[in-house]
Amino acid sequence: MLEKSNFKNQIQKLIKSVENQTYLLAVSGGADSMVLATLFLECGLDFQVAHINYHLRNEDSNLDQKVVEDFCQKHQIPIHVYHVSEKDNKPENSIQLWAREIRYQFFNEVQEKENLDFLVTAHHLNDQLETFIINLSKASGISGLTGIPSHKNSILRPLLEFSKKDIYDFAKENQIEFREDLSNKKNDYLRNKIRNQIVPMLMETNDHFLENFNQSLFYLNQTKTFVDQKMGEIEKQLTISNDQYLILNKEKLEQESDFVQFEILKKYGFDKAEEIKKIFTAQTGSTFFGKEYQILVNRNELIFTKSIIDENLEEEIVLCQENNPNKNLIEIRVSDYITVSNDVDQNIEWFFDADTVAFPIKVRRKMEGDFFYPIGFGGKKKVSKYYKDEKMSILAKQKTWILVDGNNDVLGIFPLRQDKRYARNEKTSRILKIF
């Protein structure tokens, strides 16, 4: 049963000094969020309201907004409304994911602007059950089966212990005005199908189904805490180095169970069984990319590095588009365009004959068949052979760029070695300086 007293007790379990914090409540106008706002009001907490009008249900969307605005106006609560428009680029598919991204971006902006401590959503126990079933169908492991966290990354969900029925009962008893989203009755989305078809059947199997499910979630969360501790101990035993990069012993990790492999690699964004198998059978030099990390396979090592989410992922970057014949000195500061490794001398200066190179001047990653005539060597050398002769590590190779001209001729491996074919000489009148 949902009451003001046990609701406040639930918040106090999540954070300390409840009365001294500030909150942003995500309020849609439905029963869940309107009850949440009413409870925050009754508890005397300092909060503001954020509402998203997606304009997907014509006048119904505007009526939802009016319910929220009327509540806030009546109780003098600051409200922030975002109207979704054409600039938000609604996709043909994945509407739910798109909508989630929009609202959380808006919530984060308001929270930062208003300097509010916590974002609060109205997720409840029935939402937990739906999420559990969805994750069960995705083979998401124990983390997915532990459900929606009640407190994570400054987001609070104090209604997770209460059922949808508890919320409706509280709304009825306290005569709280709210709007029903009739689109939830449609089975267009997986969550709606689970909510409207599967959950009712499960509830029929046991009068205390939700209560027992909640207790099972409690045990699963305790299990996860125990597993995380053990995984940390195992990973520590497998760690070869954790200085500049995390390096794990590939052979030893392969000897562990599929469960251990999954739990350790999942931390770094690799949670697909087929991909995990490929990691252990891949040849030296293979790279696997996740959202936040990438894995480099180096003999018997797995080297984890942060994925580079910037210009370094571009295949080709133009440094200088045109050759200006009126300039005797054309200068290109490469560090203005790419990140240069700290492992090399930063005082690189390469000089070329500007009349012999073709423009535009570009940098790109190594391509199959690349060759050049490196200064200090006798003749032609493949870039891959140069890497091998210099005994460059996989990580070092990934940090290098190939400097090329408009004909795609290699001008050098930046910042390691310049090509001598187009280098400045005694006959040069116009200079191209790369530094």
Side-chain angles (χ1 to χ4, degrees):
M1 182 176 179
L2 175 58
E3 296 175 337
K4 171 185 171 182
S5 58
N6 57 13
F7 172 78
K8 193 165 186 179
N9 288 338
Q10 187 59 32
I11 299 182
Q12 289 171 336
K13 289 180 183 177
L14 303 181
I15 58 172
K16 296 179 180 179
S17 305
V18 174
E19 289 82 2
N20 297 327
Q21 309 292 343
T22 55
Y23 309 88
L24 178 66
L25 271 58
V27 182
S28 66
D32 314 334
S33 58
M34 293 304 295
V35 164
L36 178 69
T38 301
L39 285 164
F40 263 73
L41 185 68
E42 291 185 359
C43 291
L45 301 177
D46 184 2
F47 70 97
Q48 299 183 25
V49 163
H51 175 80
I52 306 278
N53 188 334
Y54 291 101
H55 294 283
L56 293 175
R57 295 182 294 114
N58 302 318
E59 187 58 24
D60 280 338
S61 294
N62 295 328
L63 292 174
D64 292 349
Q65 179 182 326
K66 187 175 186 306
V67 167
V68 180
E69 288 178 330
D70 288 348
F71 175 87
C72 292
Q73 184 178 4
K74 178 180 178 180
H75 300 290
Q76 297 182 318
I77 300 166
I79 180 173
H80 310 270
V81 179
Y82 183 80
H83 291 271
V84 175
S85 61
E86 291 181 0
K87 69 180 177 63
D88 292 297
N89 299 319
K90 185 180 75 171
E92 294 294 328
N93 301 311
S94 304
I95 298 295
Q96 287 185 319
L97 180 60
W98 164 80
R100 185 183 188 280
E101 290 177 351
I102 287 177
R103 64 176 174 267
Y104 275 96
Q105 180 178 340
F106 176 58
F107 296 156
N108 291 336
E109 289 173 357
V110 174
Q111 193 177 354
E112 183 176 345
K113 179 182 176 183
E114 300 294 324
N115 195 27
L116 301 172
D117 299 317
F118 294 98
L119 171 66
V120 188
T121 70
H123 291 92
H124 48 76
L125 187 54
N126 291 66
D127 293 322
Q128 281 281 39
L129 178 57
E130 294 164 12
T131 299
F132 176 89
I133 296 172
I134 290 172
N135 289 340
L136 185 67
S137 70
K138 293 181 178 179
S140 58
I142 192 170
S143 294
L145 300 183
T146 53
I148 308 168
S150 57
H151 180 192
K152 185 178 181 181
N153 298 332
S154 298
I155 300 178
L156 301 179
R157 300 180 178 93
L159 290 177
L160 283 179
E161 296 289 321
F162 304 100
S163 69
K164 184 76 171 179
K165 182 179 183 303
D166 291 332
I167 291 170
Y168 274 118
D169 289 346
F170 184 90
K172 182 178 180 180
E173 183 179 345
N174 292 272
Q175 298 181 330
I176 298 172
E177 184 181 0
F178 63 87
R179 295 265 306 160
E180 288 283 9
D181 184 350
L182 297 180
S183 66
N184 288 332
K185 301 294 183 183
K186 299 178 181 179
N187 294 326
D188 299 343
Y189 305 111
L190 175 60
R191 184 175 288 274
N192 283 6
K193 290 179 181 178
I194 292 171
R195 177 181 301 154
N196 300 327
Q197 298 177 357
I198 298 176
V199 169
M201 289 191 291
L202 291 174
M203 301 282 276
E204 290 176 2
T205 64
N206 190 322
D207 292 338
H208 302 284
F209 183 87
L210 271 181
E211 180 183 339
N212 293 339
F213 167 71
N214 196 32
Q215 189 64 36
S216 295
L217 273 187
F218 173 76
Y219 293 141
L220 279 171
N221 274 281
Q222 287 200 326
T223 302
K224 182 180 181 301
T225 300
F226 175 79
V227 168
D228 288 345
Q229 179 183 341
K230 291 300 178 183
M231 287 302 109
E233 294 173 2
I234 294 173
E235 183 175 333
K236 189 175 181 180
Q237 295 171 2
L238 298 173
T239 299
I240 298 172
S241 171
N242 199 10
D243 185 13
Q244 187 176 4
Y245 310 105
L246 171 66
I247 303 177
L248 298 184
N249 187 305
K250 175 171 168 265
E251 183 180 0
K252 289 184 178 179
L253 180 57
E254 189 174 13
Q255 292 171 358
E256 297 287 348
S257 66
D258 291 347
F259 174 76
V260 170
Q261 293 174 11
F262 174 83
E263 287 296 319
I264 289 178
L265 294 177
K266 180 189 64 178
K267 285 174 49 182
Y268 304 99
F270 302 90
D271 56 0
K272 302 293 186 294
E274 288 302 314
E275 185 175 36
I276 291 174
K277 288 180 181 177
K278 290 179 181 178
I279 289 172
F280 290 110
T281 57
Q283 295 180 345
T284 290
S286 300
T287 306
F288 296 84
F289 293 93
K291 288 184 179 179
E292 293 186 40
Y293 289 87
Q294 64 187 45
I295 295 178
L296 305 177
V297 179
N298 185 33
R299 298 181 180 85
N300 195 36
E301 299 175 343
L302 297 180
I303 305 173
F304 295 77
T305 60
K306 278 280 188 179
S307 293
I308 306 170
I309 312 176
D310 58 15
E311 76 279 0
N312 289 9
L313 287 182
E314 296 187 34
E315 294 183 359
E316 183 177 276
I317 300 171
V318 175
L319 305 182
C320 185
Q321 187 67 42
E322 296 181 353
N323 186 352
N324 188 339
N326 297 320
K327 281 189 173 184
N328 290 327
L329 176 62
I330 301 172
E331 296 183 297
I332 302 175
R333 186 192 300 273
V334 181
S335 59
D336 290 343
Y337 301 87
I338 63 174
T339 300
V340 181
S341 170
N342 292 327
D343 300 337
V344 299
D345 182 5
Q346 296 295 299
N347 297 316
I348 301 291
E349 288 187 346
W350 291 355
F351 296 95
F352 297 92
D353 188 325
D355 292 320
T356 61
V357 296
F359 281 69
I361 305 300
K362 301 171 286 187
V363 287
R364 59 167 171 77
R365 297 304 189 184
K366 173 187 169 296
M367 296 176 62
E368 188 67 30
D370 275 343
F371 68 88
F372 72 135
Y373 290 76
I375 286 178
F377 287 77
K380 176 180 174 181
K381 183 181 282 284
K382 280 192 172 183
V383 171
S384 56
K385 183 68 164 55
Y386 175 83
Y387 286 163
K388 184 176 180 181
D389 291 345
E390 295 296 313
K391 296 183 171 56
M392 290 175 60
S393 69
I394 300 170
L395 290 173
K397 294 175 188 176
Q398 286 203 334
K399 291 179 181 179
T400 62
W401 289 86
I402 306 300
L403 181 71
V404 298
D405 71 356
N407 295 325
N408 210 25
D409 286 344
V410 175
L411 302 180
I413 303 173
F414 196 86
L416 301 175
R417 184 76 62 169
Q418 180 183 352
D419 183 282
K420 61 186 177 184
R421 289 172 294 175
Y422 307 100
R424 176 184 61 179
N425 55 56
E426 65 277 1
K427 296 180 181 180
T428 299
S429 59
R430 298 176 55 251
I431 295 173
L432 169 64
K433 178 182 176 182
I434 304 289
F435 66 105

